[in-house]
Amino acid sequence: MATSSAPIRLSWQDPSTGEQRLPHLSPPIALGREFTHMPVDWQGQRVSRIVLNSGQVSRFHALLTWENDQLRLQDQNSSNGTQVNGGRQTDCLLNHGDVLEIGPYRITLLLRDDTDLGANRVRGDSVILIADPIPEVAPVTSAFPPPFFQSRQVNIQALYATQYPVEEVDYGALGAGLGSFVWVDLLRLCGVSPQQVRVIGLEAQPYARYQRLCLNSQIPAHERLRSNSDSCPDNIWGWPGYALREAWHDFTQGQLRSVGYRLWQVFAEPTFAETYTPKSGRVFASIDREATRIGWPQMYRFGRIRAIRQTDDGRYAIAYALGRGQYAFLVARYIHLATGYPAIQFLPDLQDYRERTQDFQVVVNAYEAHDHVYQALERQGGTVLIRGRGIVASRILQRLYEARQRNPNIAVLHLMRSPKPKGNQFQYARRAVSNHFELQPFNWPKACWGGTLRSQLEQAGPEERMRLLADWGGTTTADRGDWQRIVQAGLDEGWYQVGFGTVTRVEPDAQGCPLTFIQEMGLKGEIKLEANFIIDATGLDGKVKTNPLLDELVTHYNLPLNLAGRLAVTNDFELVEMRNHKGRMYAAGAITFGGPYAAVDSFLGLQYAALCAVNSLAQGRAPQLRSLHGWHSLAQWCKWARNQTP
């Protein structure tokens, strides 16, 4: 039992970054939006303070104190109130497992001592590094990069003196994924020749990693992505979008009913029709076409990047490994970093289970290859426990429904930390909720891409940006009728059940199946959930510290990180601290989240970042680069439509 001298644990997931938080603090604890308005002392005791970045949270929102060995909550006349287990409270006593709702934050209280074992296993690096398709082909040695790479600026002649190949160009794209692709595509449209562009990465197809994550999370070529019609990595103009192209294809195949439905979707969404999203296979095929058109294979270089350094002549040197014992350098004046998500988030208790049992078959992550789970279920039936409730969780649930069509002896338990009685709110807008899923067509409101919310975020300061991202963000899934019918059918028929509670530990039973022990809200006892498989669908990790290359770059040059733990970039996505005379370095994608743009890892977000960076380079009179506007843009679109080289 907790006493007035005992610290407590508070568990929540940051609504803007998805990061799991589990601080261990001693009451009194003040919760609010600003440190300056929360008390330092309370009745002679030092106050622990937790800042919750959201406009829905008052400056000093609530206070937790001990009273006769019981935890007491006092709302501090907050504007939006404090919910406890779904009901609004101003002054009440709290129990182990209770859930506080303060704005978009849902915080679980862990008071009992028997949670310490599981809590102590929580680590800050509870992630799985995304496996490269090609293992480390060149062992890391002290010989490469050479010792002079430890300086802040390297000498060009020293690079040549190593006798490793050195290639000099104007533009270097590091990552070779979709972020690199859209930047290079725009450079080519703006007049840069392929001879002056080099792309370094581990896979020749720019969508290879994204495609692999889609396949692992059960989105094959015939299933639809969570992207709108006109966000096209292969077509910066967005016209014709995927919906019009799909309608034209169906028209040529004589599928007139499908043509009418697709056109109705894009003209009537979202009020009178569901939001259109493209099939993944069509997106990848269109990227293949554009990659060939712009000469991507000629610009691409296979390589595992080891380090990035400024040069003493105002450029940047990239040291990379080509193969076993094979190394090379790339020197470029303009660098674009788009390394993507380096890791998969993995719930600490599940990672601990795998480390202790060395069983990687029954406890899996949705972004790992785990087709064996569905194959086993289709053969022999069983029970699956899902953790997480976003778009990936909804897709896993749909895949399990498809497996039930082959074997009805499949049951699904869906474990969530707390109920979701209402959706996230910003000003007067509130998201709809269905069966504890927060519904939204895309991961951000559409105004974040190119409307008023985008401008508002650009103009905001760092702390205000985090508040806005917390209010706009959160875990959501698409409002699809077919999926909602699956959920409702599962609830009505009893093969799908939803539970709430805090996981204390996961242990193997006598048959080697995982048992999940949870503390239900408001109950003093512990219950266990039996399952044949557990699927973690909690998402991806994009923090800089998770990426060894970026972490080394940040450490070497003492670069600032934003409040989300990502690279601090300007509104045109430049890393200004890395300026080197005329040399410029830009970044895009998940590694810039928390900056001037919300949907950084979306198709349109990558294109927007590329457009800002290229416009900045054009204003600086970068070689061969001309702004894409007017007749030049029209001429390039005509070449795109005819599949001609830019």
Side-chain angles (χ1 to χ4, degrees), residues 324-398:
R324 184 169 297 277
Q326 295 180 305
Y327 308 103
F329 296 104
L330 175 71
V331 178
R333 190 171 301 280
Y334 308 106
I335 293 295
H336 186 266
L337 282 170
T339 54
Y341 285 100
I344 300 168
Q345 288 185 16
F346 204 40
L347 291 169
D349 53 87
L350 298 183
Q351 184 156 311
D352 175 72
Y353 177 91
R354 299 215 306 191
E355 290 176 353
R356 286 185 291 111
T357 65
Q358 289 299 297
D359 187 342
F360 297 86
Q361 298 297 307
V362 300
V363 173
V364 299
N365 191 284
Y367 282 111
E368 294 179 300
H370 65 283
D371 286 340
H372 67 276
V373 172
Y374 309 103
Q375 294 165 1
L377 291 169
E378 290 171 1
R379 287 195 309 269
Q380 59 199 31
T383 301
V384 179
L385 177 65
I386 300 176
R387 305 272 296 272
R389 56 174 156 199
I391 183 65
V392 176
S394 67
R395 176 57 203 160
I396 295 299
L397 180 57
Q398 183 175 342

Side-chain angles (χ1 to χ4, degrees), residues 25 45 59 68 85 114 249 271 279 324 362 382 405 422 432 480 507 526-527 529 544 611 615 622 640:
L25 302 171
Q45 293 178 289
R59 293 176 174 178
N68 298 324
N85 299 333
D114 61 6
H249 175 270
T271 305
K279 294 181 179 179
R324 184 169 297 277
V362 300
Q405 307 311 299
K422 58 184 179 181
R480 295 184 292 114
E507 302 285 349
E526 190 177 53
I527 66 173
L529 301 177
V544 165
L611 183 64
N615 280 344
W640 175 86

Side-chain angles (χ1 to χ4, degrees), residues 43-57:
Q43 296 181 353
Q45 293 178 289
R46 185 74 174 177
V47 173
S48 302
R49 296 181 290 181
I50 294 178
V51 174
L52 305 176
N53 274 312
S54 170
Q56 300 176 50
V57 179

Side-chain angles (χ1 to χ4, degrees), residues 11-317:
S11 173
W12 73 90
Q13 188 177 53
D14 191 289
S16 61
T17 66
E19 181 182 4
Q20 185 70 25
R21 301 291 305 278
L22 195 76
H24 201 199
L25 302 171
S26 296
I29 302 171
L31 301 98
R33 194 175 74 235
E34 294 184 7
F35 264 138
T36 54
H37 288 79
M38 290 187 280
V40 176
D41 295 288
W42 187 267
Q43 296 181 353
Q45 293 178 289
R46 185 74 174 177
V47 173
S48 302
R49 296 181 290 181
I50 294 178
V51 174
L52 305 176
N53 274 312
S54 170
Q56 300 176 50
V57 179
S58 295
R59 293 176 174 178
F60 177 27
H61 196 104
L63 181 71
L64 300 177
T65 58
W66 283 118
E67 185 175 285
N68 298 324
D69 289 339
Q70 284 191 289
L71 194 65
R72 180 184 181 188
L73 165 75
Q74 294 172 288
D75 185 271
Q76 301 298 308
N77 297 316
S78 63
S79 300
N80 295 312
T82 304
Q83 304 269 338
V84 178
N85 299 333
R88 185 161 181 166
Q89 299 286 346
T90 57
D91 193 333
C92 68
L93 297 178
L94 300 172
N95 296 310
H96 175 75
D98 283 349
V99 176
L100 310 183
E101 294 182 50
I102 299 177
Y105 293 83
R106 289 165 178 81
I107 304 172
T108 302
L109 300 178
L110 305 176
L111 308 182
R112 288 232 316 263
D113 294 336
D114 61 6
T115 65
D116 287 348
L117 178 61
N120 288 337
R121 291 172 180 157
V122 175
R123 300 201 315 269
D125 60 346
S126 188
V127 296
I128 307 170
L129 291 179
I130 295 178
D132 291 324
I134 303 170
E136 179 67 63
V137 292
V140 178
T141 67
S142 58
F144 192 87
F148 64 81
F149 247 64
Q150 295 306 311
S151 61
R152 287 184 63 87
Q153 291 191 334
V154 300
N155 179 266
I156 295 296
Q157 296 306 315
L159 296 180
Y160 282 97
T162 64
Q163 297 186 345
Y164 292 125
V166 179
E167 197 170 13
E168 298 188 43
V169 295
D170 289 325
Y171 304 91
L174 310 184
L178 287 176
S180 296
F181 176 76
V182 297
W183 188 68
V184 170
D185 189 44
L186 191 56
L187 289 178
R188 294 284 289 113
L189 297 178
C190 292
V192 178
S193 67
Q195 290 75 25
Q196 288 303 318
V197 182
R198 290 295 177 267
V199 183
I200 301 177
L202 293 174
E203 296 177 274
Q205 291 177 314
Y207 56 78
R209 173 179 286 190
Y210 178 59
Q211 182 184 45
R212 191 161 55 253
L213 291 174
C214 286
L215 291 173
N216 290 347
S217 58
Q218 305 306 300
I219 305 178
H222 64 276
E223 289 291 345
R224 297 186 180 276
L225 300 172
R226 198 182 190 187
S227 175
N228 69 0
S229 172
D230 51 5
S231 297
C232 311
D234 66 302
N235 174 10
I236 68 163
W237 300 274
W239 193 89
Y242 290 124
L244 294 180
R245 285 189 259 176
E246 184 174 343
W248 174 253
H249 175 270
D250 291 347
F251 177 77
T252 61
Q253 302 298 312
Q255 301 173 8
L256 300 183
R257 182 175 181 181
S258 175
V259 173
Y261 179 69
R262 298 300 167 217
L263 295 178
W264 170 253
Q265 268 192 286
V266 294
F267 288 118
E269 66 182 18
T271 305
F272 300 107
E274 291 183 357
T275 302
Y276 172 89
T277 57
K279 294 181 179 179
S280 66
R282 291 184 184 274
V283 172
F284 301 143
S286 66
I287 293 175
D288 279 334
R289 172 187 180 271
E290 181 69 356
T292 301
R293 189 180 78 90
I294 66 174
W296 179 268
Q298 290 74 44
M299 296 179 283
Y300 170 75
R301 298 288 184 271
F302 169 81
R304 188 182 302 275
I305 302 169
R306 295 286 185 80
I308 305 168
R309 293 291 183 266
Q310 294 177 341
T311 65
D312 57 5
D313 65 350
R315 294 184 290 175
Y316 305 92

